[in-house]
Amino acid sequence: MSDTWNLKYSEFKKIEVNLPTLAEQHRIVEVLEEVDAQMQAVEATEKKDSVSLLAAMANRLSSPEHPRCSLKELLNGRPRNGFSPTEVDGWTGFLVLGLGCLTPTGFVPRQLKSVSSDVASGHSATLSDGDLLVSRANTRELVGLAGTYRNVGAPCLYPDLMMRLTPKPGVSAEFLEIIFALPEVRRRIQALSQGTSDSMVKITGDVVWNLEVPIPGSEEINRLLLVREAALRRLKVHVHTKEKLLREKKALMDDLLNGKVRVLSGN
């Protein structure tokens, strides 16, 4: 367990800071708000593109001509829950995913936590590149999100609040990820989730195992994957732009608040 650190007010009030004139304070706020506005604009475009991607997938798979089957017919064995070891301080070389890694548009390597190498080494919950993951617990809005794991540069486990699905040979994990993002499948998962509060509900492996999903032909699946890949490349550009703007904001804050750069009114 991590130690808790406290900062006494008597010590806090001794901290010295640069205090520019009131006019310069207002200008600093304006400069930083300009960067925030750029980030918000990128986020709005990212959200719009995400919605467009999901709509395009749903439109292509909504045809009643597509045959349907239970997901269990596409999986090589039942879903398997992960393992949640205790987080530790410092770098150990072993990680566990956080629930935030699964988003409406797939896997994002964030909220990674260090875990003990003694516990994690050789564990059955260790992930391999291309593994399909589904969140089995979250808010009602987010439960059942799916993502295809991509190597994060270190051995990584998936937590108990996720399940791993193994597609049968010839079934693409990326295609199943699209299936889990379909509005009809999302609604079904949400309806079958259980919990006393919408802030934390769960689905069982049986819910996933028995989900009825549309299965188009192989040519349509390939077209879907191409459309999805092109859209995800656009989304990655938005992510990189946001990261760049965030770095710029931090650098600006350091320069402006420490007086390295002056922004006087009228300049």
Side-chain angles (χ1 to χ4, degrees):
M1 181 180 295
S2 300
D3 293 331
T4 300
W5 296 83
N6 295 311
L7 178 62
K8 295 181 179 179
Y9 177 71
S10 59
E11 298 297 325
F12 178 77
K13 67 180 183 180
K14 296 178 183 178
I15 298 175
E16 296 183 354
V17 296
N18 291 315
L19 184 63
T21 65
L22 186 58
E24 190 169 357
Q25 292 176 41
H26 288 314
R27 189 69 185 103
I28 289 173
V29 171
E30 290 174 0
V31 170
L32 295 178
E33 284 181 342
E34 289 173 8
V35 181
D36 287 337
Q38 293 178 51
M39 292 180 66
Q40 290 169 5
V42 174
E43 288 174 350
T45 304
E46 180 185 20
K47 184 175 182 180
K48 180 180 178 181
D49 285 350
S50 297
V51 171
S52 297
L53 169 60
L54 297 177
M57 300 296 98
N59 184 58
R60 284 179 170 271
L61 287 170
S62 61
S63 172
E65 298 179 359
H66 295 319
R68 305 177 74 84
C69 71
S70 296
L71 199 60
K72 60 186 174 185
E73 297 179 43
L74 306 176
L75 298 179
N76 189 12
R78 300 181 70 87
R80 297 183 64 86
N81 295 348
F83 171 62
S84 296
T86 302
E87 181 181 1
V88 300
D89 293 328
W91 175 251
T92 65
F94 290 84
L95 300 168
V96 65
L97 300 180
L99 269 181
C101 291
L102 298 182
T103 76
T105 53
F107 175 77
V108 177
R110 62 188 184 190
Q111 297 182 358
L112 306 178
K113 305 170 186 177
S114 289
V115 295
S116 168
S117 58
D118 293 338
V119 174
S121 181
H123 198 281
S124 60
T126 301
L127 290 162
S128 297
D129 195 64
D131 279 349
L132 179 64
L133 298 170
V134 176
S135 60
R136 70 180 191 89
N138 211 319
T139 64
R140 195 172 299 276
E141 180 183 0
L142 299 178
V143 69
L145 292 181
T148 305
Y149 172 77
R150 295 304 177 199
N151 197 316
V152 297
C156 191
L157 309 180
Y158 67 105
D160 181 61
L161 297 183
M162 293 182 188
M163 57 183 81
R164 174 164 53 190
L165 278 57
T166 304
K168 286 184 176 179
V171 179
S172 163
E174 288 79 7
F175 170 68
L176 293 184
E177 185 180 325
I178 293 173
I179 291 294
F180 273 93
L182 293 177
E184 64 170 287
V185 175
R186 297 289 309 130
R187 288 192 294 270
R188 184 62 177 161
I189 287 173
Q190 291 165 1
L192 293 172
S193 61
Q194 297 182 345
T196 57
S197 168
D198 282 351
S199 64
M200 180 55 74
V201 296
K202 294 183 178 182
I203 55 173
T204 64
D206 285 341
V207 167
V208 172
W209 188 244
N210 293 303
L211 276 176
E212 188 178 86
V213 298
I215 305 297
S218 58
E219 290 186 4
E220 179 63 13
I221 289 176
N222 289 335
R223 283 194 291 268
L224 276 168
L225 293 175
L226 288 173
V227 170
R228 175 179 176 272
E229 183 59 33
L232 289 179
R233 283 197 296 268
R234 290 196 299 272
L235 290 174
K236 286 181 181 179
V237 171
H238 299 323
V239 171
H240 293 156
T241 301
K242 286 194 301 181
E243 291 174 346
K244 179 182 177 182
L245 286 169
L246 185 58
R247 289 193 299 269
E248 290 177 358
K249 181 180 179 180
K250 289 180 178 178
L252 269 173
M253 289 177 66
D254 182 60
D255 289 343
L256 294 173
L257 297 177
N258 286 299
K260 298 177 183 177
V261 174
R262 305 296 299 275
V263 282
L264 301 178
S265 179
N267 286 359

